[in-house]
Amino acid sequence: MARMGAGMRLAGYAVHLFTALGSVCALLATLAVLDGRFEAAFAWLFVALVIDAVDGTMARAVRVDVNVPRFSGERLDLVIDFVTYVFVPVIALIRGGFLVGTAGMAAAALVLLSSLYHFADRSSKADDHCFVGFPAVWNIVAFCLFAWGAAAWLALAICVVLSLLAFVPMHWIHPMRVKRCFRPSVGAAGAGIAAGLWVLGTGFPGGTVAQIVLGVASAYFVVMAVIWSWLGRGDGLA
């Protein structure tokens, strides 16, 4: 039993170390942004996204809350998520020429502040596993703006609107955890990931097909957020 307990503690620390690798991805992404290697930067942010997507399942499997009670995986996850989902993408938008001048810096500040609000909000997750308020996925927003080759004014408008939506209690679907409309949500997310990987391989801005796929996938989640909230958290959805 003692060996099993020690083994589970070691497994718990290993999972935390795996989660912490997201910080290394953030560092490498930042260096790539500063060098103007934006495809490489978003590739590292994608690796961080994959780590974030699977570490929770691993943590539950080895019961990190029981076997490593002093170490908070939730805190660790929040710190890394803010850096990789928000801070580095904002730097990329500034260095990439999407947020320029005084207005651009104001929008960047708004993105950071609204995201901190979302991360600190104890009610940011609903019982149906939706995010309440725009979920601060600025890594995805920034990637789409690069892939679309968006004009600075459009990027500015999108950043301001989505930042303000962080304070609006709309329910935004988590594609893997919300059961209703699971298949179309996973399909939209999968199509978006496939298009994104294609863009990373071919370079910014993306080709027309990839741009359309990213646009449709993004529109799906925006429309679903509106419908989900309008119909009462998806009660009227099949």
Side-chain angles (χ1 to χ4, degrees), residues 1-13 67:
M1 292 295 293
R3 285 187 178 181
M4 181 177 295
M8 291 299 288
R9 283 194 296 274
L10 182 60
Y13 280 114
N67 293 297

Side-chain angles (χ1 to χ4, degrees), residues 95-185:
R95 297 284 291 190
F98 294 93
L99 296 179
V100 296
T102 303
M105 289 303 297
L110 182 59
V111 169
L112 295 176
L113 295 173
S114 65
S115 298
L116 283 171
Y117 168 81
H118 177 79
F119 274 72
D121 183 10
R122 295 181 184 275
S123 300
S124 63
K125 297 283 182 67
D127 293 337
D128 59 1
H129 299 298
C130 282
F131 297 101
V132 180
F134 178 69
V137 285
W138 291 101
N139 50 346
I140 297 175
V141 175
F143 179 84
C144 287
L145 293 175
F146 272 87
W148 294 330
W153 68 267
L154 178 59
L156 178 68
I158 289 175
C159 287
V160 170
V161 170
L162 292 180
S163 294
L164 294 178
L165 286 177
F167 304 96
V168 179
M170 295 171 60
H171 283 225
W172 296 74
I173 291 177
H174 188 301
M176 300 303 297
R177 301 199 66 186
V178 175
K179 294 181 180 180
R180 290 178 181 246
C181 301
F182 179 78
R183 289 184 179 179
S185 296

